[in-house]
Amino acid sequence: MKFSKSWLDEWVNTGLNDEALAEQITMAGLEVDGIEPVAGDFSQVVVGEVIECGQHPDADKLRVTKINVGGDELLDIVCGAPNCRQGLKVAVAVVGAVLPGDFKIKKAKLRGQPSHGMLCSYSELGIDIESDGIIELPADAPVGTDVRDYLALNDVTIEVDLTPNRADCLSMAGLAREVGVLNNQDVNWPEIAAVPASIDDQLDIQLHAPEACPRYLGRVVRNINVKAATPLWMQEKLRRSGIRSIDPVVDITNFVLLEWGQPMHAFDLNTLNGGIQVRMAEQGEKLTLLDGNEVTLNADTLVIADNERPVAMAGIFGGDATGVTENTKDVLLECAFFSPLAITGRARNYGLHTDSSHRFERGVDYQLQHKVMERATALLLDICGGEAGPVIEAVAEDKLPQAATVTLRHDRLNRLIGIDIAAEQVTEMLTRLGLQVTATADGWSVVVPSYRFDIAIEEDLVEEVARIYGYNNIPDVAPRADLSMSSHHEAHLPLNRLKDALVDLGYQEAITYSFVDPEQQKLMFPNAGHMILPNPIAADMSAMRVSLWPGLVQAAVYNQNRQQSRLRLFEQGLTFVPDDTAENGVRQTPVLAGLVLGSVVDEHWSMSSQAADFFDLKGDVESLLALSADELSFSVARTDLSALHPGQSAQLLRGGQPVGHFGALHPSLLKKLGLKSQVYLFEIELSALTERKVPDAVAVSRFPANRRDLALVVDQSLAAADILDLVRKVGGNQLVGLNLFDVYQGQGIAEGKKSLALSLVLQDTQRTLEEKEIADTVARIVSAVSDEFNASLRD
């Protein structure tokens, strides 16, 4: 948004210089991108009148003129501009003048004719206006007046970069309101009187999409003169706001857009077929825009149509067939409120961005249309003449936005800002912003005005008070940093410790989506319940995961397809299992999962290459369990989980309760899931890993330990863990060490049997164990395993 400082001064004259004003509005949240002068640096250029203008005797393209600049004598000046003519008021750089670029005007002769000055074009004065000749000033321009003063060129253009929520400042009215509040000054609002209708002409207007356009105003104006000149003051205001003057009708709609932030459009009335219909486009309808480009409309685009065809893209761009031309005599002025959601993104869909769409997307004051229609009508009649009909309104009151009421508490305001602002000062700030403020027992009740779409909650009002008060005026107070002992349980094992352990084992952390391919998940878990999303982001991401394995497997496939033959991944996250007994019908469980693929170690000259197997994975799982310092609370059992190999899988239990699974992926799934080699997986509930046994320090025994080895022959189907549990129970406190160091099947062992070699370490903390006591303990152990498991000592 560009605006002229002199134009802003007409609304609210702060007396601030350019830099101070820019700093003030920047600190209020309206960031200034740049300040540019409206004209170049020049001096001694005055208003002159062409008294004589004749052909140069020796040059076809030059003219010899006599110019009145208010002195006793006329100036002889040679000019090459094609629009130079007698009686024209022009900008004259007299001898001694300095033009932009340090160009000095001196007496000279051009093809033998004296030239004591120069008739200037806009570009020669550093004014950004396209023209083919010298400046043509109004006929009433006073001769001899300094052009800088006459055109008010001691001015700057300020460009502000507004955030999308501040659409109310996309106009001079909004900017003036802000500056008035910041400087505690009243705004000089223009007086806008209703223009009485002098003719009865009306046009039928129908709203077929009231949600998208709840208010539409039209007004017929006949017998206008489109060839009338746009006043210089309006041209300059438009130019300094970055808009080129086109014709008086377009200039007026652009001027009102800048003045009030309300886009308008003018149709050539005689090109409309019947009345106006505000409707959604029919898919595939064609519309040629004012720039000559034809667009194919989508069904979600709001259009303005007559009884036969669309004539404009609502809030975005007018149509070429109904646009105002130099032959236009009668117009229909349009002024409407379009819902922001009906316009948002539509212009970009067609590769467009207009001043109109920019404002409607962000929100236009929905109570402004009548005022703007009267303003535009008055300007049109004043500049182009004509006769105006009555204002025609089609409105769906129930579809218009409703004014919000927001409560602001004084203590909340002070707490968030950090200082105490007087209630009277807060009331004045909010009132000057246009809010309806009512004092309450603990603060204020505020009715949000129709032009502020960004105020909805209490914190929005706090922000308004803070920025108007001035962020620089809020004292810098160092925050307090009171230290206190954190409360934590020593028995809790941090998740990062588990992650570090896996990283030390060569794993890398992965993060996958909670949404997975339902087909792949059903392959792995056909019997599990699956939550299917009603509106997934993609078909292959439409199911909530019941395990982290599908995501890890997809990551493994991705890596394998990129020549990564060795992979160690882990992930921590939630699983989502349908459960009618759980809150919201889904049980969310934090788990830690991992995947192993490829060789045990990277290729190395000192080690042979060996593919990872079930026991390598089991070792990694046991490393995690060891962090709990309570490995004996964990046990392993057979599992029939469909995703795992039936002969290379296990269920993990803690305290007899299932807490996870690990093992090889079922061979039948490898090819279906896109894997090229065997994959091993584990998944453990996080709660089972994060509770550890608190260390209990004891003195090292001063008495010797004794080791005894046993080789027990048992049934092959017997789990070694069951025997170890029994040995620990029978060994009691004297058994301080127990290890299974060998498993043997083969010669000397009967078929269906296996030999388990155990090492027993016996020790007492109070005395030295005698040989007889050691032998008795070993005998009790042998007897117990023999009775319980039919075990025998190996010969």
Side-chain angles (χ1 to χ4, degrees), residues 364-394:
V364 170
D365 185 353
Y366 54 88
Q367 294 183 355
L368 188 62
Q369 288 71 44
H370 282 279
K371 178 187 291 186
V372 170
M373 179 64 81
E374 299 294 354
R375 175 65 164 159
T377 303
L379 289 170
L380 185 62
L381 297 181
D382 184 52
I383 297 171
C384 300
E387 302 167 304
V391 176
I392 316 154
E393 180 181 23

Side-chain angles (χ1 to χ4, degrees), residues 48-54 63-67 82-90 119 134:
E49 181 179 7
V50 180
I51 303 300
E52 296 180 9
C53 181
R63 290 175 174 77
V64 179
T65 66
K66 289 187 179 295
I67 308 297
N83 61 329
C84 182
R85 59 188 181 275
Q86 184 178 1
L88 184 66
K89 294 290 182 70
V90 293
L119 305 186
I134 57 177

Side-chain angles (χ1 to χ4, degrees), residues 493-531:
L493 184 65
L495 174 60
N496 283 341
R497 180 67 185 91
L498 297 169
K499 291 183 176 182
D500 290 344
L502 287 169
V503 171
D504 293 341
L505 291 170
Y507 287 75
Q508 292 182 317
E509 184 172 10
I511 299 176
T512 66
Y513 286 105
S514 298
F515 319 120
V516 298
D517 188 337
E519 298 303 322
Q520 288 193 2
Q521 183 159 272
K522 287 179 182 178
L523 282 174
M524 299 181 72
F525 306 98
N527 300 321
H530 302 279
M531 292 182 59

Side-chain angles (χ1 to χ4, degrees), residues 244-404:
R244 180 172 59 91
S245 175
I246 298 175
D247 63 55
V249 177
V250 175
D251 290 350
I252 288 167
T253 58
N254 284 335
F255 176 77
V256 171
L257 171 75
L258 294 173
E259 189 176 50
W260 295 100
Q262 170 69 54
M264 293 188 68
H265 185 64
F267 296 102
D268 186 328
L269 182 65
N270 296 318
T271 63
L272 295 174
N273 299 308
I276 290 291
Q277 299 180 20
V278 185
R279 60 173 173 83
M280 304 307 295
E282 296 177 7
Q283 187 65 38
E285 276 189 304
K286 305 287 187 180
L287 174 63
T288 301
L289 303 175
L290 284 169
D291 60 2
N293 292 320
E294 185 182 71
V295 295
T296 301
L297 299 172
N298 299 321
D300 65 346
T301 302
L302 185 69
V303 297
I304 311 301
D306 58 17
N307 291 347
E308 296 181 359
R309 59 185 172 166
V311 296
M313 294 173 66
I316 300 175
F317 220 138
D320 182 62
T322 56
V324 174
T325 67
E326 61 181 8
N327 299 317
T328 298
K329 297 294 184 182
D330 308 319
V331 296
L332 173 71
L333 291 179
E334 168 199 270
C335 188
F337 170 74
F338 300 116
S339 171
L341 291 179
I343 307 300
T344 300
R346 304 305 190 276
R348 289 188 293 276
N349 290 342
Y350 298 94
L352 301 172
H353 181 78
T354 63
D355 289 335
S356 178
S357 67
H358 186 78
R359 285 164 172 80
F360 277 124
E361 285 180 343
R362 287 155 175 77
V364 170
D365 185 353
Y366 54 88
Q367 294 183 355
L368 188 62
Q369 288 71 44
H370 282 279
K371 178 187 291 186
V372 170
M373 179 64 81
E374 299 294 354
R375 175 65 164 159
T377 303
L379 289 170
L380 185 62
L381 297 181
D382 184 52
I383 297 171
C384 300
E387 302 167 304
V391 176
I392 316 154
E393 180 181 23
V395 61
E397 293 285 354
D398 59 323
K399 304 297 183 183
L400 287 169
Q402 301 300 311

